[in-house]
Amino acid sequence: MTAFLDQFWQDVAGWLFLLEVVVTVGTLLSVLHLKREPMSAIAWSLAVILLPLVGPLMFFVFGYQTISRPIRRKQHRRKKYLSLAADVPAEAKTGEGAPGPRAVPRRWEVLAKLAHHPEGFPVTAGNRVELYHLGETAYAAMLAAIAEAKHHVHIEFFIFRPDESGRRFVAALTLAARRGVEVRFLYDSVGSHSTSQRLFKAIVAAGGKVSGFLPLLNPVYRFRVNLRNHRKILVVDGRVGFTGGLNIGDEYVGKVPQFGHWRDTHLRVEGPAVESLQRVFLEDWHFATEEAARGPAYYPVHLPHPGTSLVQIVHSGPDAEHKAVRESYFAGILRGRKRVWIASPYYVPDAGVRDALVLAGRAGVDVRLLCLFRPDHWVAFLAARYYWPELLAAGVKVYQYARGMMHSKYLLVDGEWASVGSANLDNRSLLLNYEANALIYDAKVVAELEAEFLNDLEWSVRIDPEVFAARPAAARLAENAARLLSPIL
């Protein structure tokens, strides 16, 4: 080998140089073709040029967002599934004999229209909403719903841990499958990478079905770590639905010392809004498995209207033409006249959302942002700190939750409107991930969320603009470096 290199090292070096040039130029062309945002295109171009071979590899793994074979495939599957699901009886959608939908208050009509785009869902009336602010109470409610299932259980989570909490859900799903309930379980292949297929054997042996979403090591999907399914959905018998910020794992019930107390927000909904959650799940399931589950058994006729809340499910992903979750956040912030309160562990949004918050702060709206004190992802945390000064300068109050892990994801506006779900206020949730939120047009439900928000502030540290401005130069440098990765955070 040494003799070969001594004789042909110049040829080897020449071929390697040529390979580097071809890879760099090819990657730059891909960057220019795929990246619409100028800053994102510039950042990736610099990475490709300044980091030979490493930069192109990073772009191959992290850079693809909206144009790729998996996304085109999912768009095709969505159209196919919607055509297959079109045979659901019309009365199953609203409930035969159900009261007509109550009108959305005029000031929120714009938000309702934005969320009800061609791929979206309408506002539904007659829903009952129950909020959970701790993982254990939410888990108990979900496990109870699974135990009462009569026809089907559809469950979808980004993270599913092989720990005590995960085993509790596996046991509940296995028992449901054994008594003849249809069980469909979808997990994200990256979020649940630590979970072995052995954990799910009992479910499958009992007749349930389990599938991963966009397997990372499948070459068909180009080894993408982006484009993840970040949704958290549970639907039982088409009548009861759950969604929010909780995944399944011991940390979400405060049993992992690294995180300590875990603060999250999840909700249970009964009523017509469950149909929308059902459709989101079944579309994802069809993409992952090619099974098109459809029919009135999944969309019950005579669906009860047990409450008075107006609820609208909004979902988005890189395959969607409308970035509906981002649009609802953006428009919701701009509709605020008195207060805009936000809880999100990660704050790395695009320029438009940042501008909306800054303008609201300058206009005298009471804008408050509640985020982490002890981060679990340091790069995202440092990138968020880079953007805090513009918020503080505009009069926005920034708080860090110091009791433990703050994982809630919600937006509250003027005590009348709320968005609760899986989407963080960062580019990954708003542009890259598959997300699902519930928009709530109900002052009573919003009041409960506001009360919890104020309680969380009692456990939080408010950022002092002057003190923060005096932070060390090393911290500023780290923040500046982290924000360069903001397009994928």
Side-chain angles (χ1 to χ4, degrees):
M1 185 66 178
T2 304
F4 175 82
L5 291 176
D6 288 341
Q7 184 176 358
F8 297 106
W9 71 269
Q10 291 180 323
D11 294 330
V12 172
W15 281 108
L16 288 175
F17 177 76
L18 180 60
L19 175 64
E20 179 191 331
V21 171
V22 170
V23 170
T24 299
V25 172
T27 307
L28 286 174
L29 291 175
S30 297
V31 169
L32 295 176
H33 175 66
L34 296 175
K35 297 300 175 183
R36 298 180 180 179
E37 293 294 329
M39 291 305 297
S40 178
I42 292 171
W44 276 114
S45 296
L46 288 174
V48 170
I49 294 171
L50 298 177
L51 300 172
L53 298 182
V54 175
L57 177 62
M58 291 176 61
F59 181 76
F60 179 84
V61 175
F62 297 104
Y64 282 80
Q65 296 178 8
T66 58
I67 306 296
S68 67
R69 289 178 184 172
I71 300 308
R72 287 198 296 271
R73 179 168 171 250
K74 193 171 191 304
Q75 289 172 332
H76 173 73
R77 293 278 183 87
R78 163 184 285 163
K79 294 177 181 178
K80 182 178 178 182
Y81 172 72
L82 291 177
S83 67
L84 290 171
D87 62 354
V88 178
E91 64 268 21
K93 297 180 180 180
T94 57
E96 196 174 81
R102 193 169 81 242
V104 175
R106 179 167 295 181
R107 69 171 300 196
W108 306 113
E109 286 180 349
V110 171
L111 293 174
K113 289 178 181 178
L114 284 173
H116 190 196
H117 52 82
E119 301 168 349
F121 306 112
V123 178
T124 61
N127 298 283
R128 180 168 65 192
V129 176
E130 185 173 354
L131 296 168
Y132 305 100
H133 308 291
L134 293 174
E136 192 56 53
T137 54
Y139 282 9
M142 286 190 280
L143 290 168
I146 293 171
E148 296 170 2
K150 294 178 174 60
H151 182 266
H152 65 267
V153 173
H154 293 158
I155 184 169
E156 172 178 2
F157 282 96
F158 175 63
I159 295 175
F160 194 93
R161 303 286 191 202
D163 52 23
E164 180 184 350
S165 296
R167 290 191 294 272
R168 288 169 64 191
F169 275 84
V170 167
L173 294 170
T174 301
L175 288 175
R178 284 175 180 168
R179 65 175 188 269
V181 174
E182 295 180 8
V183 173
R184 293 179 176 88
F185 179 28
L186 184 65
Y187 63 92
D188 185 81
S189 298
V190 170
S192 302
H193 67 277
S194 63
T195 303
S196 170
Q197 287 292 319
R198 291 193 298 272
L199 182 67
F200 307 127
K201 282 186 175 181
I203 299 176
V204 176
K209 300 176 181 179
V210 180
S211 179
F213 187 90
L214 285 179
L216 182 62
L217 298 180
N218 189 329
V220 173
Y221 301 113
R222 297 187 176 184
F223 309 102
R224 298 287 180 255
V225 297
N226 285 337
L227 319 179
R228 304 322 312 173
N229 192 327
H230 196 245
R231 294 165 180 158
K232 302 98 166 74
I233 295 174
L234 170 63
V235 176
V236 176
D237 292 340
R239 298 177 179 274
V240 178
F242 294 82
T243 191
L246 285 167
N247 290 294
I248 305 300
D250 284 349
E251 64 263 44
Y252 299 95
V253 290
K255 293 183 178 180
V256 177
Q258 175 188 350
F259 302 107
H261 176 79
W262 191 281
R263 172 70 175 88
D264 221 316
T265 302
H266 218 72
L267 64 84
R268 180 184 193 270
V269 60
E270 289 182 77
V274 178
E275 180 199 342
S276 302
L277 287 174
Q278 182 82 294
R279 290 187 179 276
V280 173
F281 173 87
L282 288 178
E283 183 186 310
D284 288 345
W285 181 259
H286 178 246
F287 169 68
T289 68
E290 301 191 30
E291 180 194 4
R294 60 191 187 277
Y298 303 105
Y299 303 97
V301 181
H302 308 303
L303 192 67
H305 289 59
T308 59
S309 295
L310 294 173
V311 178
Q312 184 177 24
I313 301 301
V314 58
H315 66 302
S316 64
D319 61 331
E321 180 180 353
H322 299 270
K323 304 302 181 186
V325 172
R326 180 199 176 276
E327 291 173 359
S328 66
Y329 280 173
F330 180 81
I333 293 167
L334 292 181
R335 296 300 291 174
R337 296 296 179 267
K338 295 179 292 185
R339 56 189 179 273
V340 174
W341 295 352
I342 302 171
S344 176
Y346 316 113
Y347 174 77
V348 197
D350 59 58
V353 175
R354 297 200 310 269
D355 288 345
L357 284 170
V358 168
L359 288 173
R362 289 177 178 172
V365 177
D366 177 16
V367 182
R368 307 185 188 187
L369 172 64
L370 176 62
C371 48
L372 294 170
F373 184 82
R374 291 188 292 271
D376 57 337
H377 299 297
W378 273 98
V379 176
F381 177 72
L382 291 171
R385 285 168 56 96
Y386 176 85
Y387 295 111
W388 286 356
E390 64 180 359
L391 295 178
L392 297 171
V396 175
K397 305 176 185 70
V398 179
Y399 297 85
Q400 291 181 276
Y401 186 73
R403 187 181 181 186
M405 178 68 182
M406 206 295 299
H407 196 252
S408 296
K409 311 151 195 311
Y410 58 80
L411 168 64
L412 313 177
V413 181
D414 288 354
E416 300 176 11
W417 181 89
S419 175
V420 182
S422 65
N424 296 301
L425 204 63
D426 59 16
N427 285 313
R428 178 161 292 279
S429 279
L430 302 184
L431 302 175
L432 300 178
N433 285 340
Y434 295 93
E435 304 283 359
N437 282 14
L439 307 185
I440 303 170
Y441 307 78
D442 186 324
K444 183 178 179 180
V445 176
V446 177
E448 180 179 342
L449 287 165
E450 286 191 335
E452 287 298 323
F453 186 89
L454 292 174
N455 182 62
D456 291 337
L457 295 189
E458 297 295 323
W459 296 92
S460 303
V461 177
R462 181 178 172 183
I463 301 298
D464 185 294
E466 294 184 1
V467 174
F468 189 70
R471 64 195 185 283
R476 294 171 183 266
L477 180 62
E479 294 160 9
N480 213 324
R483 63 101 181 188
L484 295 176
L485 297 176
S486 60
I488 60 172
L489 296 177

